[in-house]
Amino acid sequence: AQSVTQPDIHITVSEGASLELRCNYSYGATPYLFWYVQSPGQGLQLLLKYFSGDTLVQGIKGFEAEFKRSQSSFNLRKPSVHWSDAAEYFCAVGAEGNTGKLIFGQGTTLQVKP
Amino acid sequence: DTAVSQTPKYLVTQMGNDKSIKCEQNLGHDTMYWYKQDSKKFLKIMFSYNNKELIINETVPNRFSPKSPDKAHLNLHINSLELGDSAVYFCASSGPAGTYNSPLHFGNGTRLTVT
């Protein structure tokens, strides 16, 4: 069965430091991969997505992610974190069958220290 | 001009009651969804409608009944509420199902608390 794993439940980084959030997926074919961000009391906002082509994708708010098929990973990165980046981050994979259904990881809470 | 709007934002009710959550999208999308986020923030799909037709029905108790009067609205009715139904319920919409090129747009969620 398809699944998404985000190994880090909680990460704390200092403002200005670099960030990498890990995501591993389980899927036989080429996956559709997404990163969403959820601010407190808000819905989820799409940061970026990967369908095919260039394995390094750029998103909003200065985020990027790299698809590595050999590692079944789609890690999210940002070179310099801002205090406003503190939020919950979700990795997701499009389910088989092209129904539009997304399978989410359990999320990573990002805390930013001043 | 909110793209996906849900009402109410908060809902506190007692066990055994029946309640509804409403969702409307003004994006012209064909597909709408209900997701449930539990206390550990895990998100799981419940239902999906494409142009008023049910296309995804996950393993959800039949106390939960979605209704889509038109493609811009997808409401969720819950009968005989139980403590375990306490969660945040998110409505979302997207372009035609099966085209992941159109990402999900989420509402801000409805926090349901059953006492």
Side-chain angles (χ1 to χ4, degrees):
Chain A
Q2 287 177 274
S3 64
V4 176
T5 302
Q6 295 178 242
D8 305 305
I9 302 298
H10 192 278
I11 282 185
T12 300
V13 300
S14 297
E15 190 167 15
S18 63
L19 171 71
E20 181 169 33
L21 302 182
R22 296 184 290 164
C23 172
N24 294 96
Y25 66 90
S26 169
Y27 187 63
T30 300
Y32 296 98
L33 293 163
F34 306 82
W35 274 99
Y36 281 84
V37 61
Q38 183 182 23
S39 298
Q42 302 294 312
L44 281 76
Q45 180 184 22
L46 179 69
L47 284 175
L48 46 79
K49 62 189 179 190
Y50 171 79
F51 291 166
S52 64
D54 193 345
T55 56
L56 184 64
V57 292
Q58 302 298 319
I60 62 170
K61 304 186 181 188
F63 285 92
E64 67 177 26
E66 186 170 13
F67 170 60
K68 293 185 177 179
R69 182 187 299 278
S70 61
Q71 298 177 18
S72 297
S73 69
F74 188 56
N75 294 348
L76 182 71
R77 300 195 293 249
K78 186 169 185 177
S80 177
V81 169
H82 188 262
W83 64 267
S84 60
D85 293 325
E88 193 79 21
Y89 290 81
F90 292 93
C91 181
V93 65
E96 291 174 316
N98 286 335
T99 59
K101 168 184 170 181
L102 293 186
I103 297 169
F104 284 88
Q106 58 269 58
T108 297
T109 302
L110 173 65
Q111 185 178 358
V112 180
K113 294 189 302 185
Chain B
D1 60 344
T2 305
V4 181
S5 59
Q6 304 178 220
T7 55
K9 188 173 175 66
Y10 299 97
L11 185 53
V12 181
T13 188
Q14 293 183 326
M15 286 175 54
N17 284 348
D18 303 338
K19 290 293 178 185
S20 292
I21 307 172
K22 295 186 176 182
C23 180
E24 176 181 4
Q25 55 96 2
N26 62 6
L27 297 166
H29 285 161
D30 293 322
T31 310
M32 296 185 71
Y33 310 78
W34 279 109
Y35 278 81
K36 179 180 180 180
Q37 187 174 45
D38 63 22
S39 58
K40 295 184 179 179
K41 298 192 176 180
F42 183 64
L43 272 157
K44 193 170 188 302
I45 193 167
M46 301 173 69
F47 301 103
S48 170
Y49 270 73
N50 185 59
N51 214 357
K52 301 195 297 176
E53 180 183 347
L54 181 67
I55 57 171
I56 295 175
N57 185 351
E58 293 289 291
T59 308
V60 177
N62 57 16
R63 298 181 295 104
F64 290 79
S65 54
K67 284 188 172 52
S68 182
D70 55 63
K71 75 173 192 176
H73 296 83
L74 180 62
N75 304 323
L76 183 65
H77 189 75
I78 315 170
N79 289 328
S80 303
L81 278 155
E82 300 178 357
L83 292 176
D85 297 332
S86 296
V88 181
Y89 293 84
F90 285 99
C91 179
S93 72
S94 72
T99 58
Y100 287 110
N101 281 319
S102 175
L104 296 186
H105 290 256
F106 284 84
N108 287 338
T110 296
R111 181 174 293 277
L112 172 64
T113 303
V114 183
T115 62

